[in-house]
Amino acid sequence: MNRIAQFTLIIALAFSQNILAADLSVADVENKISVKQSEYDNYNSSLEAQIANAASLERELGELRQNATLADADRQSALIEMNLKYEQVIDDPELDISPVIAAYARAVRTHKAVKDAITDKYNQWQGELQDVEQMQISKHSLLNTIEGLKEQLNSARIDRLYQEFNRQEAIVVSHNIACDKDETLAKCITRGKSLAKQKASKRFLDSVYEGLSESVEAEKRRQLSDASVQVLRSEVADSNFSGQGNFNVKMNLELQGNLKRSEGCELLGLDRRYCVNFKANENSQVTTSVKVSPMATDESVMYELTVRSNVFDDEVFIDGVSYGSTKLQVMLPSGEHDLEVVKRGFEPSRQKVILSESKTLKVELDRSQYTFSKGERIQDILAGDIPGPDLIVIPAGSFRMGDITGVGLDNERPVQTQDLKHSFGISETEISVKAFEIFVNATSYVTEAEKLKGCAAYEDGKAVWKDDRNWRAPGFAQNENNPVVCVSMHDAKAYVDWISQASNQAYKLPSEARWEYAARAGKETDYWWGDGISTDNANCGWCGSQWSNVSTAPVASFERNDFGLFDTVGNVWEWTTSKQAESNSVVRGGAWNFAPSLARVSTRMELDSSFRSNYIGFRVVREQ
């Protein structure tokens, strides 16, 4: 048995012994945690050199992978350039295309060399990781021991609180009251004794809270607790009436705190699992119970009702009165109320609400028709009442997909008829910086550009990495309405996964077929408006707009196509999924710094799904 395995066994045995230990005091458990934490810190430091070495290899591997991705992008660009030159040879057989062929060959060799280097570096890294993994196992076992002790600590804290709170104490209290003129002496005596007991109970309860070892924690939640005081014994030591009609009473009382174990968990803010298995007798017989309660509320009790729904721009009626749209917060009298939430195109929701406390209702409205209508605009409301992307409904239908006009590249052929049997919603614009920022703020997501080697930019005909570039700083001025860029396909899918969960709807990236069908909008020309790019119809390189070869344009800066979509030509390449591509990732539509011929509706470029650049973004699709 090697050193690491021996250490793992020792840790496992220590863990089992700690878990089996019982009835330890808080101080005992805290001491054990301190000892184990010290062991953990010392052992953890011994890992640093080996982990640092593995991390160094991983960084080197990451750089090689980035280089491979970049080399693949260069290879793709060289391939496109070579294919374009081949097309020109048809019209000009004398054209010398050997430079582009040589450039493509160099790009292929470079890509292969980087791939071979990746294999060697990967094997080194994996060997180092195996050693680190074995040590990590031992480290995790020790950490598990510490966490097990923390579980014991919480149980010990509850035991201590229960014992400290449910203590008994003898109290002597004196109280003086003025008898009412219409009150009999007997009633005045009874009232005086009752008030004396309440005074003693309040004083005792205050002293119990002050004497707790965790008094600060308990005091934070005191108002939410149902803890009470039990009067075990009471007797009048002395009483008399003064000449002014005042009654004086002195009482001896035996009091005990009354805290159930489950309420102890609430007082310390701990999970109820530390309290559910307590077997002590919490229902002992007592003489009298006086519960110290807050000031009585007014008979006319008002509660706050909060209403939310899954749609936007609805209307809420309560007892027949319109209170506006959700999210709604309104104060209502206690009792029964009729609630109705309505919106055109949805089935109304009606229910009776009984208010005996403040409450929040989430109303789910169902669509009155379950198929999309062509051109219909839809928008889902995300968790937190955040509006989702504006979507346009694209009708079901068939179309010819690919290089219909015969001026495209080989990867756009052959032309095939695609049959889309179901309508779908697609975002009318590319996902904006603002929409992506909402996602990042909600999830704390970090993009690949931020974690790795930045974002690529196109310079001198080549994609080059810029370490300091990401979706927040792509290398040109942008605002919240510009399309988000410097996002990989992995980043785009993370956004899709989040919005699906936040809306409870099925979102995804568009397939190539859906994207081209929506972008064509029923046309068979190279662009939705015709076969020529003309000027100022879209933001692409040398396309005549103020943003051409400068930066992305704010979304919706140009005309919609016939389906109502913006920017299906130029601005940014858009991620799509493809079964034809080896990496399943293809960008479509051209970009602000790419030639018009590459912004045709059928142009496609296969890229690695981890590639990201300041000319690639995405839009989303939603199923019915």
Side-chain angles (χ1 to χ4, degrees):
M1 183 180 294
N2 60 35
R3 178 182 59 83
I4 294 175
Q6 289 175 346
F7 189 80
T8 304
L9 178 60
I10 292 171
I11 295 299
L13 290 174
F15 174 66
S16 62
Q17 292 168 358
N18 285 327
I19 293 300
L20 292 174
D23 300 326
L24 294 176
S25 69
V26 171
D28 291 336
V29 180
E30 287 177 336
N31 183 61
K32 284 180 175 288
I33 290 176
S34 178
V35 171
K36 291 300 178 184
Q37 187 65 52
S38 178
E39 292 178 13
Y40 177 80
D41 293 340
N42 292 334
Y43 183 72
N44 194 43
S45 63
S46 68
L47 282 171
E48 292 180 357
Q50 196 156 5
I51 291 176
N53 191 32
S56 177
L57 290 172
E58 184 178 12
R59 284 193 298 271
E60 293 171 8
L61 179 61
E63 291 174 0
L64 286 172
R65 284 173 170 166
Q66 294 288 344
N67 291 338
T69 302
L70 194 58
D72 188 51
D74 288 342
R75 182 180 62 83
Q76 289 276 353
S77 297
L79 177 62
I80 291 173
E81 182 67 20
M82 184 174 67
N83 285 335
L84 288 173
K85 292 297 183 182
Y86 272 118
E87 296 288 340
Q88 295 174 14
V89 168
I90 296 174
D91 297 325
D92 184 7
E94 300 300 324
L95 182 65
D96 181 14
I97 64 171
S98 58
V100 295
I101 295 175
Y104 176 67
R106 287 194 301 272
V108 171
R109 288 194 299 271
T110 299
H111 183 252
K112 182 179 184 304
V114 175
K115 297 280 283 186
D116 292 342
I118 287 175
T119 299
D120 292 340
K121 188 65 66 176
Y122 178 81
N123 291 334
Q124 295 178 41
W125 178 53
Q126 287 298 306
E128 193 71 20
L129 282 182
Q130 289 179 2
D131 294 339
V132 171
E133 183 179 7
Q134 290 299 318
M135 298 188 74
Q136 294 272 11
I137 292 172
S138 299
K139 171 185 170 183
H140 294 161
S141 297
L142 183 54
L143 182 61
N144 200 28
T145 301
I146 295 172
E147 293 305 312
L149 287 169
K150 289 179 181 178
E151 292 289 309
Q152 283 190 321
L153 176 63
N154 287 333
S155 295
R157 289 170 63 197
I158 293 299
D159 290 340
R160 181 178 65 184
L161 177 69
Y162 186 82
Q163 294 169 4
E164 291 177 344
F165 202 103
N166 293 335
R167 64 182 176 85
Q168 296 181 14
E169 183 177 334
I171 290 183
V172 178
V173 63
S174 298
H175 194 63
N176 176 274
I177 64 169
C179 298
D180 295 337
K181 62 180 181 178
D182 297 327
E183 185 178 32
T184 66
L185 293 179
K187 287 184 177 180
C188 185
I189 292 172
T190 300
R191 184 164 64 91
K193 291 179 180 179
S194 178
L195 290 175
K197 291 178 182 178
Q198 291 184 28
K199 180 178 181 180
S201 298
K202 178 65 169 63
R203 182 185 298 170
F204 174 68
L205 191 60
D206 287 344
S207 70
V208 167
Y209 272 99
E210 291 173 1
L212 295 176
S213 297
E214 297 188 61
S215 60
V216 175
E217 282 295 316
E219 210 42 76
K220 291 178 184 177
R221 304 172 181 86
R222 178 173 176 173
Q223 297 300 318
L224 304 176
S225 173
D226 289 333
S228 61
V229 173
Q230 294 177 334
V231 180
L232 303 178
R233 181 181 62 84
S234 65
E235 62 181 15
V236 177
D238 188 22
S239 64
N240 60 77
F241 285 94
S242 66
Q244 291 78 27
N246 292 339
F247 176 68
N248 302 302
V249 62
K250 180 179 180 182
M251 298 189 70
N252 298 324
L253 299 103
E254 187 75 24
L255 304 179
Q256 179 176 328
N258 182 26
L259 177 74
K260 294 182 179 179
R261 192 173 175 86
S262 59
E263 293 165 358
C265 282
E266 293 175 3
L267 269 183
L268 296 186
L270 297 176
D271 192 278
R272 291 179 61 85
R273 71 177 184 274
Y274 299 110
C275 302
V276 294
N277 295 322
F278 188 62
K279 302 300 182 181
N281 180 13
E282 296 181 333
N283 300 310
S284 57
Q285 297 296 318
V286 296
T287 305
T288 309
S289 177
V290 177
K291 185 172 181 178
V292 180
S293 60
M295 183 180 299
T297 57
D298 188 88
E299 291 182 357
S300 179
V301 181
M302 300 288 288
Y303 294 111
E304 184 178 67
L305 175 66
T306 302
V307 183
R308 299 174 58 189
S309 82
N310 61 321
V311 298
F312 182 69
D313 197 27
D314 52 13
E315 188 171 10
V316 180
F317 292 87
I318 301 175
D319 299 328
V321 178
S322 174
Y323 282 82
S325 61
T326 56
K327 180 180 178 182
L328 173 72
Q329 290 178 301
V330 60
M331 298 298 296
L332 296 172
S334 62
E336 185 177 274
H337 298 275
D338 293 320
L339 174 71
E340 183 177 18
V341 182
V342 300
K343 180 178 179 176
R344 183 178 179 182
F346 291 80
E347 297 291 342
S349 172
R350 301 182 180 91
Q351 60 180 297
K352 290 189 179 296
V353 179
I354 299 177
L355 286 183
S356 57
E357 60 182 0
S358 295
K359 64 172 56 178
T360 297
L361 295 178
K362 177 67 182 292
V363 177
E364 296 285 340
L365 296 184
D366 296 323
R367 297 183 67 86
S368 56
Q369 58 183 31
Y370 291 92
T371 57
F372 289 154
S373 300
K374 177 182 177 181
E376 179 184 3
R377 293 171 60 87
I378 56 178
Q379 184 183 51
D380 292 315
I381 300 302
L382 312 181
D385 294 322
I386 300 170
D390 289 311
L391 306 172
I392 298 292
V393 173
I394 307 299
S398 62
F399 77 109
R400 290 203 296 160
M401 178 178 178
D403 180 25
I404 297 174
T405 62
V407 299
L409 305 175
D410 289 343
N411 66 359
E412 302 170 34
R413 305 175 188 131
V415 176
Q416 295 180 334
T417 298
Q418 299 287 340
D419 186 17
L420 302 181
K421 299 183 181 298
H422 302 287
S423 60
F424 59 94
I426 188 169
S427 53
E428 65 177 354
T429 69
E430 295 140 339
I431 297 301
S432 67
V433 172
K434 180 180 179 180
F436 196 79
E437 185 176 33
I438 291 173
F439 152 63
V440 169
N441 291 340
T443 62
S444 299
Y445 182 80
V446 180
T447 63
E448 289 190 309
E450 293 168 292
K451 291 187 294 187
L452 302 173
K453 195 180 177 181
C455 171
Y458 214 68
E459 293 182 2
D460 300 323
K462 296 180 63 177
V464 295
W465 291 111
K466 298 292 185 179
D467 292 357
D468 58 347
R469 293 187 181 177
N470 54 60
W471 69 276
R472 301 179 192 271
F476 48 75
Q478 66 175 7
N479 60 39
E480 65 181 17
N481 292 321
N482 284 67
V484 67
V485 293
C486 287
V487 288
S488 68
M489 191 172 194
H490 298 146
D491 299 327
K493 285 184 174 180
Y495 175 91
V496 165
D497 291 342
W498 167 74
I499 201 172
S500 296
Q501 183 178 13
S503 65
N504 200 28
Q505 299 291 344
Y507 280 81
K508 58 180 63 175
L509 293 176
S511 65
E512 277 198 275
R514 279 181 164 179
W515 188 95
E516 187 169 327
Y517 177 61
R520 285 188 177 279
K523 303 296 179 62
E524 292 194 347
T525 52
D526 282 334
Y527 310 96
W528 64 263
W529 59 80
D531 279 326
I533 191 68
S534 190
T535 59
D536 212 26
N537 283 326
N539 181 25
C540 51
W542 309 278
C543 287
S545 78
Q546 61 180 298
W547 301 283
S548 294
N549 290 318
V550 176
S551 70
T552 61
V555 297
S557 293
F558 300 88
E559 293 293 324
R560 300 174 184 266
N561 72 7
D562 290 351
F563 277 163
L565 302 182
F566 293 105
D567 301 318
T568 56
V569 178
N571 215 19
V572 293
W573 291 96
E574 298 174 22
W575 286 112
T576 67
T577 59
S578 174
K579 294 180 180 179
Q580 300 176 17
E582 182 177 347
S583 64
N584 192 38
S585 52
V586 174
V587 291
R588 303 295 298 266
W592 58 273
N593 55 347
F594 277 70
S597 61
L598 298 178
R600 292 175 298 103
V601 72
S602 59
T603 304
R604 56 193 303 274
M605 185 161 64
E606 299 182 15
L607 290 174
D608 188 277
S609 55
S610 65
F611 187 75
R612 61 268 177 196
S613 70
N614 63 2
Y615 49 83
I616 298 178
F618 68 101
R619 71 178 75 216
V620 297
V621 160
R622 176 166 70 90
E623 306 288 3
Q624 291 193 37

